[in-house]
Amino acid sequence: MDHNDFLRWRIEKDDIVKDGTDKDGMEKDDMAKDGTDKHGTGKDGLDKKEVGHRTPVLFPDRFLWGASSSAFQIEGGWDEGKKGMTVADYNSFRRSGIQADTRTASVFYHRWREDIGLMRELGLKMYRFSMSWARIIPDGDGDVNQEGIMFYHQVIDRLLEYGIQPFVTLYHFDLPYALVEKYNGWESRECAAAFERYARIVFREFGDKVVYWQVHNEQNLMVRVDERMNIEAGDAWECDRIRAQMDYHMFLAHGLAVKACHDLVPGGKIGPAVSSTCTYPLTSRPEDVWAARMNDWFKTDYCLDMYYDGEYPGYYMRYLEERDIVPKTGPGDREILKGARMDYIAVNYYRTLCVSYLPVTKGHVPGERSFPVNEVDFDQYGYFRHVKNEYLTSSGYGAQIDPMGLRTVLNLYYRRYRLPLIVTENVLGARDVLTENGRVHDYYRIDYLRQHIEACAQAIGDGVDLFGYSPWSFMDLLSSRQGFRKRYGFVYVNRDEHDLKDLARIKKDSFYWYRRVIETNGGGLRQDTVTGLSEGCKWSGTDWNHMVK
């Protein structure tokens, strides 16, 4: 890409005008004359005395403005068209009594024509979605289902007809359940072999239509959650042993799929999507600083290093040995792993974390995990424990909102791996309200997106090769833990947990705002007056938290 396009910027040194409001007309009672609050920070949490506040004038001409989704969260039709059951289906049915499940989801399986029409209206340049392995091969490693193949051909053809580039993920949390019953899923090498076969079938079918491919979505996060991996051992050590073996086989599957793509898709680009981690130390105490580094390394960086180098980094190998859970490998694995040349890295970003050092105590061994909050943000004895960052605002769901963290991880990953990057997930999940006149005033989401797109612009100005931004998600979809109470999309889907209503598609205020951002190639980020945006709608980074509780 031509980096000259990235370097056209204007610096906004001060957002505060003389009448005590910012340029969006929002009051800033705590703002000093230099544009900072009493803590020396601006309205978006950046230290304006130390960091220039940059707003992009222009992103690269071919920048991929997109939106994302996944098969099990959006399609519905869980057993239609001869599709097989997945682990995601199985887990969702266990919660059917308290929330929505995958049976209907957002019913994209039946309304894809309408939905892709809305994507065209939004102006998307790309649509990142996943194919369901079990829709193409219902039992994971048996006969190919032509109905599933034809469904995805129709979706891709319509996207291309409308000038939207398909960006396809092969695996997004939805392993065919038959492979769990046959092999205990990823614990067996047979699962990696089945995945390679699935990938090769897909590349042969769609390789002449799709350029960009993702192998796994968030392997580094998925493997932390026992339910998503179907880990059911009662003993903590046995869980970690199974987890390490499954993780290794997913790395092997990644290597096999990358090679298959390069063999079968001329000009194809393939890479992973990782759940990024940016961790701050609680204090400047050296042990806390080290703990923050280790949290990043154990949650994300070890995975990227394995993709890139084809071997575990030393600190992670030490952990595996400490826990006596070094995975079993096979002859030829090293060649497969080291030969898997990824073409880009996809970054999923939502929040940052803060930790302090967690010493080993009596009754706990080095590397042992504990879960005071959840499985994703586990603590680890001898390494780190999570604490709240008092300098950040949290959403109603607990995610600490920090656009500077996105700029940070983009810089870190690009400096380390020197590969093009794309953001494939980023947004604020919230309890959106449909008004009596059929509108959704999600100004809090607009503000979140604006600040994070500006962080992307800042990273580009830092020299990062960022070629796209595809937030989560195009439309409301099934949240694994919160059903349809927690919404993400630019398009509201009119349904509740158990009342399907009419499943109407309703464009939120953020739809019109993001459309303007795309039309102006990032130039309309701070524009209040947007055609279609609700009259009187304003947004401010200081005023979203009450909307998402």
Side-chain angles (χ1 to χ4, degrees):
M1 291 187 177
D2 185 356
H3 283 275
N4 290 330
D5 287 340
F6 284 94
L7 302 179
R8 288 178 248 177
W9 312 99
R10 61 183 172 85
I11 306 296
E12 292 185 341
K13 297 180 182 293
D14 192 342
D15 280 334
I16 308 302
V17 296
K18 293 181 180 179
D19 66 356
T21 66
D22 71 4
K23 63 185 203 148
D24 293 324
M26 306 306 296
E27 293 183 1
K28 297 294 174 187
D29 295 335
D30 290 333
M31 290 292 171
K33 291 180 180 179
D34 64 353
T36 64
D37 67 8
K38 61 187 177 181
H39 301 296
T41 58
K43 65 173 182 175
D44 50 12
L46 300 184
D47 187 338
K48 291 181 179 291
K49 293 179 179 178
E50 301 294 335
V51 184
H53 188 88
R54 296 185 172 193
T55 300
V57 173
L58 185 68
F59 281 79
D61 289 338
R62 294 181 298 278
F63 193 77
L64 294 178
W65 296 101
S68 298
S69 73
S70 81
F72 83 90
Q73 292 173 282
I74 195 171
E75 283 184 4
W78 80 276
D79 62 349
E80 296 182 58
K82 301 177 182 176
K83 176 185 170 291
M85 185 167 71
T86 69
V87 169
D89 294 325
Y90 176 82
N91 289 329
S92 84
F93 298 158
R94 295 166 70 179
R95 295 191 181 87
S96 293
I98 59 174
Q99 68 176 50
D101 58 32
T102 59
R103 288 180 173 88
T104 302
S106 303
V107 76
F108 179 80
Y109 184 69
H110 291 291
R111 299 179 70 159
W112 59 269
R113 295 174 182 84
E114 175 187 359
D115 294 337
I116 296 174
L118 286 168
M119 293 176 199
R120 177 171 66 169
E121 184 179 344
L122 182 56
L124 295 186
K125 307 300 181 185
M126 62 162 279
Y127 174 49
R128 180 244 188 180
F129 66 100
S130 70
M131 292 182 176
S132 172
W133 182 352
R135 195 173 290 286
I136 291 175
I137 307 173
D139 65 357
D141 60 357
D143 294 338
V144 175
N145 176 26
Q146 290 303 318
E147 288 189 47
I149 292 287
M150 287 308 301
F151 170 70
Y152 291 118
H153 269 301
Q154 290 176 312
V155 168
I156 290 170
D157 289 346
R158 183 61 60 94
L159 289 169
L160 293 172
E161 178 185 346
Y162 289 167
I164 302 169
Q165 185 164 175
F167 205 106
V168 177
T169 304
L170 294 175
Y171 176 54
H172 192 127
F173 303 167
D174 56 350
L175 186 74
Y177 196 77
L179 296 181
V180 173
E181 296 174 318
K182 287 182 184 179
Y183 310 125
N184 198 29
W186 289 107
E187 188 178 4
S188 170
R189 291 178 69 90
E190 295 298 327
C191 194
F195 184 81
E196 180 190 18
R197 175 175 176 261
Y198 158 62
R200 287 183 174 273
I201 289 167
V202 168
F203 294 147
R204 289 191 181 100
E205 277 290 340
F206 306 103
D208 61 337
K209 300 177 180 180
V210 178
V211 174
Y212 284 102
W213 300 89
Q214 290 181 345
V215 186
H216 305 311
N217 177 73
E218 296 184 341
Q219 173 183 340
N220 62 308
L221 183 146
M222 187 189 331
V223 77
R224 301 177 218 164
V225 182
D226 289 355
E227 181 182 78
R228 287 180 177 168
M229 302 301 294
N230 201 59
I231 297 173
E232 296 185 345
D235 177 73
W237 176 85
E238 179 65 7
C239 283
D240 283 351
R241 183 199 67 76
I242 295 172
R243 187 185 333 278
Q245 190 66 61
M246 288 180 165
D247 202 23
Y248 177 78
H249 287 149
M250 289 182 72
F251 284 125
L252 192 63
H254 175 271
L256 292 166
V258 168
K259 183 179 186 304
C261 182
H262 290 151
D263 287 348
L264 298 173
V265 183
K269 305 294 183 184
I270 190 166
V274 296
S275 174
S276 60
T277 309
C278 177
T279 310
Y280 303 124
L282 177 63
T283 72
S284 57
R285 191 168 65 114
E287 292 85 352
D288 287 350
V289 175
W290 182 248
R293 299 289 182 272
M294 295 304 283
N295 193 56
D296 286 348
W297 294 357
F298 269 80
K299 301 290 174 61
T300 300
D301 293 11
Y302 88 95
C303 187
L304 283 171
D305 283 353
M306 188 66 161
Y307 290 144
Y308 187 78
D309 296 321
E311 61 185 8
Y312 290 116
Y315 64 85
Y316 202 77
M317 196 66 201
R318 180 181 63 238
Y319 155 72
L320 294 172
E321 291 169 348
E322 282 177 347
R323 291 288 283 156
D324 191 24
I325 56 173
V326 177
K328 297 176 182 177
T329 64
D333 286 4
R334 181 179 174 83
E335 181 180 356
I336 293 168
L337 295 169
K338 285 191 166 292
R341 176 182 51 81
M342 56 185 176
D343 299 299
Y344 69 89
I345 297 170
V347 178
N348 296 350
Y349 176 88
Y350 291 92
R351 77 284 171 65
T352 52
L353 301 168
C354 185
V355 302
S356 63
Y357 176 66
L358 177 61
V360 175
T361 58
K362 185 177 181 180
H364 300 286
V365 298
E368 182 183 344
R369 300 182 183 192
S370 66
F371 311 100
V373 179
N374 56 53
E375 292 175 285
V376 171
D377 299 324
F378 63 84
D379 294 347
Q380 193 157 306
Y381 287 94
Y383 293 92
F384 46 77
R385 65 179 160 201
H386 289 77
V387 296
K388 184 177 181 180
N389 188 336
E390 299 296 338
Y391 292 93
L392 296 176
T393 299
S394 297
S395 77
Y397 289 98
Q400 297 206 283
I401 299 162
D402 183 11
M404 177 59 80
L406 177 56
R407 180 182 184 179
T408 299
V409 296
L410 292 174
N411 271 276
L412 287 173
Y413 298 161
Y414 186 67
R415 297 289 175 269
R416 167 69 177 91
Y417 303 105
R418 290 291 174 176
L419 289 170
L421 305 178
I422 181 171
V423 176
T424 49
E425 290 186 25
N426 172 237
V427 85
L428 182 74
R431 289 178 179 266
D432 294 341
V433 176
L434 182 65
T435 66
E436 291 182 359
N437 64 345
R439 303 302 296 264
V440 178
H441 305 313
D442 58 338
Y443 60 87
Y444 40 89
R445 182 170 293 110
I446 290 170
D447 195 67
Y448 180 98
L449 290 168
R450 175 184 59 76
Q451 293 190 53
H452 286 77
I453 294 172
E454 286 181 340
C456 291
Q458 292 163 355
I460 292 168
D462 298 333
V464 173
D465 184 357
L466 183 71
F467 67 94
Y469 177 80
S470 184
W472 185 266
S473 55
F474 167 68
M475 64 197 301
D476 291 341
L477 41 66
L478 176 68
S479 170
S480 297
R481 297 286 183 177
Q482 287 89 22
F484 278 83
R485 296 185 300 279
K486 186 177 184 182
R487 294 176 182 265
Y488 302 92
F490 295 110
V491 177
Y492 186 92
V493 176
N494 190 33
R495 63 158 296 174
D496 291 334
E497 297 309 307
H498 298 107
D499 182 358
L500 298 181
K501 300 184 178 179
D502 57 4
L503 290 162
R505 276 59 169 141
I506 300 166
K507 290 168 278 190
K508 303 179 188 179
D509 286 352
S510 59
F511 180 99
Y512 300 103
W513 178 85
Y514 189 51
R515 182 172 68 183
R516 180 61 177 162
V517 170
I518 296 172
E519 288 173 349
T520 60
N521 202 26
L525 285 174
R526 288 181 172 268
Q527 192 166 348
D528 283 347
T529 304
V530 180
T531 301
L533 197 64
S534 302
E535 183 178 355
C537 176
K538 300 283 185 179
W539 51 89
S540 166
T542 63
D543 189 28
W544 66 33
N545 199 46
H546 70 285
M547 293 296 296
V548 295
K549 290 182 179 177

